[in-house]
Amino acid sequence: MSPGSVHVTVPSLRARKGGPPLVMVTAYDAPTARVADEAGVDIVLVGDSVAMVVLGYDDTLQVTVDDMARHVAAVARTRPRPLVVADLPWLSYHVSVEDTVRNAAVLVRAGAAAVKLEGGRRRLPVVDALLGAEIPVMGHLGLTPQSVHMMGGYRVQGQQQEAAAGLVDDAVALAEAGCFAIVLECVPREVAAAITAAVPVPTIGIGAGPDCDGQVLVFHDLVGLEDRVLPKFVRRYGSLKAEAVAAVSAYAADVRAGRFPADDESYHLSADVAAALRSAVPGAGAGAAGAGSTGGSRGA
Ligand code: KIV
């Protein structure tokens, strides 16, 4: 965080309904949090998408509260200016309200200022309990990846009139219950626009069109670290995977050709210690003697 910049808070964010579009991006560790912070985003989401884009799982159902807490803590240690929101993972808020509050508290103690959970009206009891414990809640409607098996795959939601109306009702109920913002994932633009008009809290879209109060993308998708799939709603602003492969390939070629490391990338003994070593150890003459140096840390 740059000196003097003010942290984004839940009330300040909530108050930005209808203002300039809000920017949210996922982050899962200190480097991605620093990038998001330096880029000036409003919200960093420690998403359970970490399961798929970082941990290599096929769905988000595999991560636990402890997994999420480790990633939240790594993000929070950078003390970023954006609001840090943590996903409650699958089964952390489905068993009981007591369980939900305790699990959310683990994420708050790890550094999250708010939690996000998936689902509509059936989540109202846990939303109420979380707010009762003073934990701000962000809702998430539409394509809710933790429901992948119930939905029969990752599909656009709310395409029929009844389903679209149900999403509007869910959003109104979440907002009335006290959610400070609602993510809308993979719903038709018209449905997102109707929800955005119907609720007094910001909507943040991903695959929901431009009429939401803000947008969110998964970090690895937007910078091109993830290049295996390209959903319709992702715009790639970088090709970091290709750049990383090129960099590691160049490193491998240099090592194999003896070009890395060069002499000036090596530490040296002082001339007298090098001479003593050569006389004590036959064959220890390799390498040029130079200015004495010690060290081995990354800063040396
Ligand atoms: O986990 C995640 O990355 C998310 C976003 C897609 C909103 O929930």
Side-chain angles (χ1 to χ4, degrees), residues 24 26 28 45 47-50 87 116 118 140 183 185 206 216 218:
M24 178 157 103
T26 63
Y28 312 104
L45 171 67
D48 60 356
S49 50
V50 68
D87 260 341
K116 176 166 80 59
E118 299 181 2
H140 183 158
V183 166
E185 180 166 354
I206 175 164
V216 54
V218 167

Side-chain angles (χ1 to χ4, degrees), residues 27-298:
Y28 312 104
D29 52 22
T32 52
R34 288 194 189 102
V35 170
D37 192 2
E38 286 180 35
V41 308
D42 301 302
I43 311 167
V44 158
L45 171 67
V46 187
D48 60 356
S49 50
V50 68
M52 298 171 79
V53 296
V54 174
L55 301 178
Y57 292 116
D58 287 336
D59 57 47
T60 60
L61 306 179
Q62 309 302 329
V63 281
T64 63
V65 173
D66 288 345
D67 292 328
M68 293 301 299
R70 188 165 295 114
H71 290 280
V72 170
V75 166
R77 268 181 219 118
T78 70
R79 303 196 170 283
R81 191 195 69 90
L83 186 74
V84 177
V85 179
D87 260 341
L88 279 168
W90 179 62
L91 225 55
S92 68
Y93 56 98
H94 304 75
V95 177
S96 71
V97 289
E98 290 80 8
D99 223 26
T100 304
V101 174
R102 285 205 183 87
N103 287 328
V106 172
L107 301 184
V108 171
R109 287 193 172 131
V115 296
K116 176 166 80 59
L117 51 73
E118 299 181 2
R121 282 159 285 181
R122 69 169 64 162
R123 302 291 173 231
L124 294 183
V126 293
V127 170
D128 192 50
L130 289 166
L131 295 174
E134 312 298 344
I135 300 173
V137 183
M138 178 181 278
H140 183 158
L141 295 172
L143 194 170
T144 46
Q146 294 172 11
S147 321
V148 58
H149 298 307
M150 293 293 276
M151 294 182 307
Y154 299 105
R155 304 173 196 288
V156 178
Q157 300 294 303
Q159 291 184 290
Q160 303 305 324
Q161 196 184 334
E162 197 181 330
L167 285 174
V168 177
D169 291 346
D170 279 337
V172 169
L174 288 177
E176 281 176 354
C179 287
F180 71 94
I182 302 173
V183 166
L184 302 176
E185 180 166 354
C186 289
V187 297
R189 175 178 178 172
E190 297 77 8
V191 176
I195 292 173
T196 301
V199 297
V201 298
T203 57
I204 302 176
I206 175 164
D211 306 305
C212 299
D213 297 299
Q215 298 292 328
V216 54
L217 280 177
V218 167
F219 182 92
H220 291 55
D221 289 338
L222 98 83
V223 301
L225 258 180
E226 171 60 76
D227 68 351
R228 292 167 300 173
V229 288
L230 184 61
K232 177 186 174 83
F233 57 82
V234 169
R235 187 181 297 176
R236 289 230 164 94
Y237 290 90
S239 41
L240 294 200
K241 164 90 182 297
E243 279 184 44
V245 170
V248 176
S249 302
Y251 158 70
D254 280 356
V255 170
R256 290 180 182 130
R259 290 188 296 266
F260 179 84
D263 187 56
D264 64 0
E265 290 163 323
S266 309
Y267 299 107
H268 289 290
L269 289 173
S270 62
D272 54 337
V273 177
L277 182 67
R278 276 197 301 276
S279 59
V281 182
S293 64
T294 55
S297 76
R298 297 180 61 79

